[in-house]
Every structure is written in C-alpha cells, then in structure tokens.
Amino acid sequence: MTSGRRDWLYFTGWLLTGAAYLLALLTVLSIGIFILPIPLIGTVVLATRRGALRCLPGLVSSAGLPLLLLAYLNRNGPGTYCTSSAGGQSCTEGLLDPWILLAAGLFVLAAGVALFLKVRRRPVVGGVPSHSL
C-alpha cells in the first residue's frame, strides 16, 4: 500500500475514532459507556501504528461531524415545520439555522483536512514529523 493511501486511511481512522468519542460523550447518560470502548480500542490501535500520529488532524475534522448532523436535523428550520399524514398533522420547531451549522461543520472538517495536508508534507523521522523532534 502506498504511503499516501495509508495516510488517508489513518486520517479516516482518527476521524472515526474522534466521532466515536463525541458520540460517547453526547450519549454519556444512556449508551455512552457502552460506546466508549470502541474509540479507546481505536486510539490504541492507531497510536501504535508507525506514521499514524501525523494523521491526528483527523480528530480535528471529527469535531465537524456533529455540526453537520445538527444541520441535517434542523434542515427545515428555523421556525415551525409541519408535515401531514393520513393520521393527522405533526409540527416540529426548528431552533437553529441549518446554514450556519452547515458552514461551521464544513469549516471544521476542512480545517482538519488542511492541517493534515500541511503536516503530511513535512519529512517524517521514525514515524514522527521531524519538526516535533
């Protein structure tokens, strides 16, 4: 496997690990304790791989995922949104502007990718970027 392809896999691994940590945190009062072992295992697996530490900006990008989810959930907001069905009508209050959430989520996601691309261009010595030695 090429180094570039492996870097993107590690980046994605860190992104998914960070997303699992966020999910565990957001659901701490219900299923969070059962989700927590997944990102912990992911952290151990990724942290022990050579070259995976320079892909840590994936954790930054993972912070954008909840914002994108909130943007999707509030896609009909802000304001009241009603739907009709055979059984009647259901109304939901959209509290947040989905465009702001979408912009923020994409910005954070892109910031992590940009940081990753910047770190990736630096030479690596022993699995650690040379600027941190």
Side-chain angles (χ1 to χ4, degrees), residues 55-100:
C55 302
L56 273 172
L59 289 176
V60 173
S61 289
S62 70
L65 297 180
L67 294 170
L68 296 174
L69 176 63
L70 281 174
Y72 175 76
L73 293 175
N74 287 281
R75 66 191 176 275
N76 296 314
T80 304
Y81 176 74
C82 298
T83 56
S84 297
S85 65
Q89 186 175 14
S90 171
C91 294
T92 305
E93 183 71 27
L95 301 175
L96 304 170
D97 185 0
W99 295 107
I100 293 172

Side-chain angles (χ1 to χ4, degrees), residues 14 17 21 39-49:
W14 284 116
T17 299
Y21 274 121
L40 289 173
I41 291 168
T43 300
V44 170
V45 168
L46 287 168
T48 58
R49 299 292 183 256

Side-chain angles (χ1 to χ4, degrees), residues 29-50:
L29 296 177
S30 58
I31 62 169
I33 194 71
F34 302 110
I35 295 172
L36 190 58
I38 296 168
L40 289 173
I41 291 168
T43 300
V44 170
V45 168
L46 287 168
T48 58
R49 299 292 183 256
R50 174 170 247 194

Side-chain angles (χ1 to χ4, degrees), residues 4 16 36 71 75 83 111 115 119-120 123:
L16 294 174
L36 190 58
R75 66 191 176 275
T83 56
L115 182 61
V119 168
R120 209 173 136 216

